[in-house]
């Protein structure tokens, strides 16, 4: 329960509300016990053989107790025992003197305990008569009506306090969950790209939604039922002990066995609940894959295949969920059976005392005086009332295990330490004045792999240069430039900006100097204006429009979009074309006004005319900036780049201008004209 209990610190700011909810639960428990106490006077009114009202009944009980206290036989026996005790104490030479002293002392203690007990009950009855019964009407039916009215009023008041208890618990739970989700997102958003990619978006979404809800349900149960139900049980237990603590102990005999069974069940529940949450993550993953790839699904007519995959995933979830249901369903009747057995034991012992009129069972005193049927039934009502909260707590305990499983999954991600650290005390990156150097860089997405993604890459780029990075798919181009803004850190080697290792540099100032446009354009479900302005905090309208014009996006924004810059582009920018998305992303990068610009296949989805216009605009924009251009359109590399870097299998195989590489690098020739290279 360690991770689940960790969530309590997030509830601590709302401790006042929580304390108020506990106070309400105390009132509910007190009124619950008070309502059950009405059974005894009702049974007394209905069950008295002499048709007595409560006033006559209590007077009779007081008279009986006074007679017991004045009983001459008991007083005489007590006096005789005291005299015998004095005689034995005086006779120091008796061989069994200690045994006789213990025996006589036990008898004296027994009689004195009876007298003390009679005195206590006499005081209680006199207090009851003075404080309660004397205010009731003498008519028996009228008294019954008054008692029932009082019960109804208590139930109504109890309902009010139950409402406030549930409301306060709900407020604390939801505020706590609100804080946990926000802190969880804060920790998650600062983890590095490799960690987030390894976890997978569907799994993280499942932890944010389904797992967080399960955690919230566990908190609600902890603050709600785990407070209210035990208080009810304790209130009833206190009154039951007041009636006969010995018979109440008989009822509690099976509690250790029930606790042992609950512990065993809870372990099974925790394992089963975690598997259910994992299966839900798998469903999230499948849904995302199918819906994000819906074009491929339909193009290759694989709807039936996707249905089978989804059916298999939901069937797995069904089986795991049914195991949770079976464990939970088994816990309820098992605890209920133990509760009935416990009540039966206590009721059997009490019935024996009522039927025989005895006060002892197997030599053990169970009551101070013979008990009647109303007392036994009242005790039975309280014991049954204790069993009910305990039965409810059995299901609560299993649900807490589900909350613990959810907490483990949430904090498993929460506790991950990012390998790419922010370095708040590191040197600030103000501008790129000298250049950028990749020095013997090695990197692998799977540490220990025999084929690293980057293998001893060394490259020097002067400040203000435009460098095109080309090569076959999978040769490491995007990965190499991903090291620059520290999406990853190299396994070996270093990336230097003006001689400063970016691993030690202040991370935020480093990334503020870099602009990025990727092939898979990342835009948000917001307006065009907001997506462009995302590149610069506090960007003005004029700045946004100027950036859009430079990216050749202004014309289509004003002419083709219904609300111009205030048009919402939809989830994953689904309301605009791929080329329009890329131009908006380029405008966002231009607005940032970076020292270093990374363009990764940034014109892959635009038409040739728009591409030539963008290239013309970029010729002016890249002046004085260090630009890295990843592209398969090598005429763009030749047009914009000062030099071209050719990569293959994670290594740099050639560096130079276009014409030089055509003459000296066979791979570059193949990339420029694959048809001619094949013919040759």
């Amino acid at each position: 329960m360690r991770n689940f209990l960790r969530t309590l610190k997030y509830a601590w700011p709302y401790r006042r509300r929580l304390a108020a909810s506990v106070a309400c639960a105390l009132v509910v428990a007190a009124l619950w016990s008070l309502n059950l106490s009405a059974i005894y006077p009702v049974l007394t009114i209905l069950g008295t053989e002499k048709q007595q009202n409560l006033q006559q009944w209590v007077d009779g009980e007081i008279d009986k107790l006074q007679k017991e206290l004045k009983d001459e036989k008991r007083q005489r026996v007590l006096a005789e025992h005291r005299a015998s005790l004095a005689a034995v104490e005086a006779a120091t030479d008796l061989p069994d003197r200690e045994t006789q002293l213990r025996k006589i002392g036990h008898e004296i203690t027994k009689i004195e305990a009876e007298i003390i007990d009679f005195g206590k009950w006499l005081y209680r009855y006199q207090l009851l008569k003075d404080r309660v019964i004397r205010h009731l009407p003498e008519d028996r039916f009228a008294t019954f009506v008054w008692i029932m009215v009082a019960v109804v009023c208590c139930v109504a008041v109890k309902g009010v306090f139950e409402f406030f208890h549930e409301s306060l618990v709900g407020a604390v739970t939801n505020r706590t969950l609100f804080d946990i989700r926000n802190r969880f997102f804060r920790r998650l958003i600062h983890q590095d790209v490799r960690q987030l990619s390894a976890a997978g978006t569907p799994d993280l979404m499942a932890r944010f939604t389904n797992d967080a809800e399960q955690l919230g349900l566990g908190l609600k149960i902890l603050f709600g039922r785990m407070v209210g139900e035990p208080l009810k049980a304790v209130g009833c237990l206190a009154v039951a002990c007041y009636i006969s603590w010995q018979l109440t102990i008989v009822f509690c005999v099976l509690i250790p066995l029930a606790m042992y069974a609950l512990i065993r069940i809870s372990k099974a529940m925790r394992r089963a609940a975690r598997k259910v949450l994992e299966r839900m993550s798998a469903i999230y993953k499948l849904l995302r894959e199918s819906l994000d790839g819906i074009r491929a699904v339909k193009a290759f007519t694989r709807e039936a295949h996707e249905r089978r995959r989804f059916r298999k995933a939901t069937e797995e979830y069904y089986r795991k969920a049914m195991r949770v249901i079976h464990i939970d369903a088994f816990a309820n009747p098992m605890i209920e059976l133990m509760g009935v057995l416990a009540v039966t034991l206590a009721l059997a012992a009490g019935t024996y005392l009522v039927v025989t009129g005895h006060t002892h069972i197997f030599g053990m005193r169970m009551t101070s005086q013979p008990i009647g049927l109303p007392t036994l039934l009242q005790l039975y009502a309280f014991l049954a009332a204790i069993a009910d909260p305990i039965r409810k707590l059995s299901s609560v305990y299993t649900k807490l295990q589900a909350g613990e499983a959810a907490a483990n999954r949430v904090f498993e991600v929460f506790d991950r330490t990012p390998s790419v650290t922010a370095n708040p005390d590191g040197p600030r990156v103000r501008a790129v004045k000298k250049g950028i150097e990749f020095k013997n860089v090695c990197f692998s997405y799977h540490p220990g792999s025999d084929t690293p993604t980057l293998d001893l890459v060394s490259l020097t780029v002067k400040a203000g240069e435009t460098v095109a990075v080309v090569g076959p798919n999978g040769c490491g181009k995007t990965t190499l430039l991903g090291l620059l803004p520290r999406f990853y850190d190299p396994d070996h080697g270093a990336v230097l900006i003006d001689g400063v290792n970016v691993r030690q540099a202040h991370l935020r100032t480093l990334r503020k100097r870099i602009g990025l446009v990727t092939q898979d354009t990342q835009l948000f479900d917001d307006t065009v204006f907001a997506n462009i302005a995302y590149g610069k905090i506090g960007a003005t309208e004029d700045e946004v429009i100027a950036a859009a014009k430079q990216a050749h996006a202004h014309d289509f924004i004003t002419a083709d979009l219904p609300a111009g810059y205030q048009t919402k582009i939809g989830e994953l920018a689904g309301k605009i074309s791929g080329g329009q998305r890329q131009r908006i992303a380029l405008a966002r990068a231009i607005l940032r006004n970076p020292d270093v610009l990374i363009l990764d296949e940034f014109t892959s989805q635009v038409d040739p005319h728009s591409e030539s216009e963008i290239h013309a605009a970029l010729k002016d924009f890249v002046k004085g900036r260090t630009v890295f251009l990843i592209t398969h359109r090598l005429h763009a590399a030749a047009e914009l780049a000062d030099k071209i870097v050719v990569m293959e299998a994670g290594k740099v195989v050639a560096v130079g201008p276009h014409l030089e590489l055509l003459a000296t690098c066979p791979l570059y020739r193949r990339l420029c004209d694959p048809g001619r290279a094949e013919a040759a």
Side-chain angles (χ1 to χ4, degrees):
M1 296 294 287
R2 181 180 64 86
N3 280 327
F4 185 72
L5 293 178
R6 282 177 64 183
T7 61
L8 297 183
K9 72 176 183 179
Y10 296 101
W12 181 247
Y14 313 110
R15 56 191 177 275
R16 292 182 180 176
R17 293 184 188 181
L18 198 57
S21 74
V22 173
C24 291
L26 282 169
V27 175
V28 169
L31 292 174
W32 169 267
S33 302
L34 185 61
N35 288 340
L36 291 173
S37 301
I39 294 174
Y40 188 83
V42 170
L43 291 174
T44 301
I45 292 171
L46 299 177
T48 178
E49 297 177 359
K50 299 179 181 179
Q51 303 293 311
Q52 294 176 327
N53 58 27
L54 287 181
Q55 288 83 354
Q56 293 168 334
W57 168 80
V58 76
D59 287 337
E61 293 296 321
I62 290 173
D63 289 340
K64 282 195 297 185
L65 289 169
Q66 288 175 340
K67 288 178 181 178
E68 291 289 348
L69 286 172
K70 296 177 182 177
D71 184 48
E72 294 180 359
K73 181 180 179 182
R74 182 181 289 105
Q75 296 295 336
R76 185 172 63 254
V77 171
L78 180 60
E80 290 173 357
H81 283 316
R82 286 174 175 168
S84 299
L85 181 64
V88 172
E89 287 177 343
T92 57
D93 56 345
L94 286 176
D96 57 346
R97 179 171 176 270
E98 294 298 327
T99 302
Q100 291 189 40
L101 285 173
R102 284 196 300 272
K103 183 177 179 181
I104 296 170
H106 174 72
E107 292 298 326
I108 291 173
T109 302
K110 180 180 175 181
I111 294 172
E112 288 178 342
E114 289 179 352
I115 294 172
I116 292 171
D117 193 66
F118 287 138
K120 288 180 180 178
W121 279 102
L122 178 61
Y123 172 75
R124 292 169 185 168
Y125 279 123
Q126 287 175 336
L127 190 65
L128 180 66
K129 176 183 177 180
D130 183 60
R131 299 290 175 84
V132 180
I133 293 180
R134 75 184 184 89
H135 298 291
L136 295 175
E138 295 185 2
D139 181 75
R140 295 169 67 206
F141 181 74
T143 301
F144 171 78
V145 170
W146 272 101
I147 293 173
M148 290 298 100
V149 168
V151 169
V152 170
C153 291
C154 284
V155 170
V157 174
K158 181 172 74 71
V160 172
F161 279 95
E162 281 182 337
F163 169 79
F164 282 114
H165 172 64
E166 291 292 335
S167 177
L168 289 166
V169 166
V172 172
T173 300
N174 286 310
R175 290 297 303 180
T176 302
L177 200 58
F178 170 83
D179 291 342
I180 289 174
R181 275 199 176 110
N182 280 283
R183 295 198 182 195
F184 184 22
F185 185 78
R186 181 177 180 180
R187 293 293 293 270
L188 188 68
I189 206 70
H190 286 95
Q191 291 181 4
D192 56 73
V193 175
R194 186 190 293 190
Q195 289 174 313
L196 296 175
S197 299
T201 301
D203 181 68
L204 294 174
M205 288 175 64
R207 295 179 195 242
F208 260 104
T209 55
N210 190 58
D211 296 7
E213 285 300 320
Q214 286 292 329
L215 176 57
L217 180 60
L219 285 174
K220 185 176 180 181
I221 287 173
L222 178 65
F223 297 146
R225 284 193 180 182
M226 283 296 288
V227 173
E229 298 300 333
L231 286 176
K232 287 182 181 179
V234 168
C236 293
L237 184 66
V239 181
C241 289
Y242 181 80
I243 296 172
S244 173
W245 63 267
Q246 297 93 337
L247 290 175
T248 305
I249 288 177
V250 173
F251 167 79
C252 297
V253 165
L254 295 178
I255 287 181
L257 181 61
M259 293 302 298
Y260 172 75
L262 274 178
I263 291 172
R264 294 296 300 271
I265 290 172
S266 69
K267 291 180 179 178
M269 174 60 82
R270 186 162 55 245
R271 291 193 296 268
R274 183 174 183 87
K275 290 179 180 178
V276 167
L277 296 173
E278 289 171 353
R279 296 284 77 75
M280 180 56 72
S281 293
I283 291 175
Y284 271 87
K285 179 180 179 181
L286 182 57
L287 280 171
R288 181 184 175 98
E289 286 179 350
S290 300
L291 297 177
D292 285 356
I294 194 63
R295 293 176 181 269
V297 172
K298 291 187 177 294
F300 292 98
T301 62
R302 299 292 283 175
E303 290 91 345
H305 172 72
E306 294 302 321
R307 288 200 307 269
R308 286 192 295 271
R309 287 179 66 204
F310 187 77
R311 181 181 178 84
K312 183 178 180 181
T314 52
E315 189 175 0
E316 283 290 320
Y317 177 81
Y318 166 78
R319 284 200 292 266
K320 301 302 181 183
M322 286 306 299
R323 176 165 175 77
V324 170
I325 290 173
H326 290 155
I327 294 172
D328 192 30
F330 173 74
N332 278 335
M334 183 202 68
I335 297 300
E336 185 174 4
L337 175 62
M338 289 188 176
V340 170
L341 285 174
V343 172
T344 301
L345 283 175
L347 186 60
T351 302
Y352 172 79
L353 297 177
V354 171
V355 171
T356 61
H358 295 168
T359 58
H360 291 68
I361 297 178
F362 300 120
M364 294 183 293
R365 175 177 287 279
M366 305 303 292
T367 59
S368 57
Q369 55 182 323
I371 63 173
L373 181 61
T375 303
L376 178 63
L377 293 178
Q378 177 73 84
L379 178 64
Y380 171 75
F382 278 107
L383 295 182
I386 295 171
D388 183 62
I390 292 176
R391 180 186 62 80
K392 290 179 180 177
L393 285 175
S394 66
S395 63
V396 163
Y397 195 63
T398 55
K399 286 181 174 62
L400 284 179
Q401 299 309 310
E404 164 68 3
N408 289 339
R409 281 173 52 82
V410 169
F411 283 105
E412 182 182 5
V413 176
F414 194 92
D415 291 337
R416 288 176 188 163
T417 302
S419 57
V420 176
T421 55
N423 299 328
D425 299 324
R428 265 64 173 170
V429 179
R430 302 299 180 188
V432 180
K433 296 179 179 179
K434 298 179 182 178
I436 297 171
E437 181 182 2
F438 295 87
K439 191 173 183 180
N440 298 322
V441 170
C442 295
F443 177 81
S444 176
Y445 288 102
H446 307 286
S449 173
D450 294 334
T451 55
T453 308
L454 298 175
D455 187 9
L456 292 174
V457 174
S458 293
L459 177 66
T460 301
V461 178
K462 296 178 181 178
E465 274 190 322
T466 298
V467 177
V469 183
V470 301
N473 288 332
C475 67
K477 305 184 294 293
T478 300
T479 302
L480 177 66
L481 298 185
L483 299 176
L484 195 55
R486 291 192 69 201
F487 293 154
Y488 322 98
D489 279 333
D491 299 329
H492 303 286
V495 180
L496 309 174
I497 295 180
D498 291 347
V500 177
N501 191 333
V502 297
R503 193 191 291 264
Q504 278 79 48
H506 186 272
L507 186 60
R508 289 183 66 84
T509 59
L510 168 68
R511 289 178 177 169
K512 283 182 177 180
R513 313 314 305 176
I514 299 173
L516 176 66
V517 183
T518 64
Q519 180 178 4
D520 299 324
T521 309
Q522 302 296 321
L523 299 179
F524 302 96
D525 185 9
D526 206 334
T527 63
V528 173
F529 181 90
N531 273 281
I532 297 175
Y534 199 83
K536 179 182 178 182
I537 298 174
T540 65
E541 184 177 358
D542 290 340
E543 289 174 328
V544 169
I545 292 174
K549 287 179 177 179
Q550 201 162 0
H552 287 266
H554 178 73
D555 290 342
F556 87 79
I557 292 173
T558 55
D560 299 341
L561 301 184
Y565 282 89
Q566 298 307 315
T567 303
K568 284 205 166 188
I569 60 176
E571 186 176 358
L572 299 177
K575 295 181 180 180
I576 57 177
S577 68
Q580 291 171 338
R581 286 197 291 268
Q582 285 193 319
R583 279 181 276 178
I584 290 174
L586 180 59
R588 180 173 62 189
I590 290 173
L591 178 64
R592 192 169 183 81
N593 193 27
D595 291 321
V596 179
L597 181 62
I598 300 173
L599 303 174
D600 187 353
E601 295 290 355
F602 72 105
T603 59
S604 61
Q605 298 184 50
V606 299
D607 58 84
H609 176 70
S610 297
E611 182 180 12
S612 63
E613 289 182 339
I614 292 172
H615 286 177
L618 281 176
K619 284 182 180 179
D620 293 329
F621 182 74
V622 300
K623 290 178 181 178
R625 306 176 199 276
T626 306
V627 180
F628 293 90
L629 174 66
I630 298 174
T631 183
H632 285 95
R633 301 180 180 183
L634 298 189
H635 67 278
E639 182 181 354
L640 292 174
D642 298 316
K643 63 182 178 182
I644 299 170
V645 177
V646 184
M647 294 187 66
E648 185 178 25
K651 296 183 178 181
V652 173
V653 297
V655 180
H658 173 68
L659 295 177
E660 179 182 322
L661 291 176
L662 281 176
T664 60
C665 181
L667 174 59
Y668 186 72
R669 283 198 300 271
R670 290 199 302 271
L671 293 172
C672 288
D673 194 351
R676 182 180 298 177
E678 270 186 30

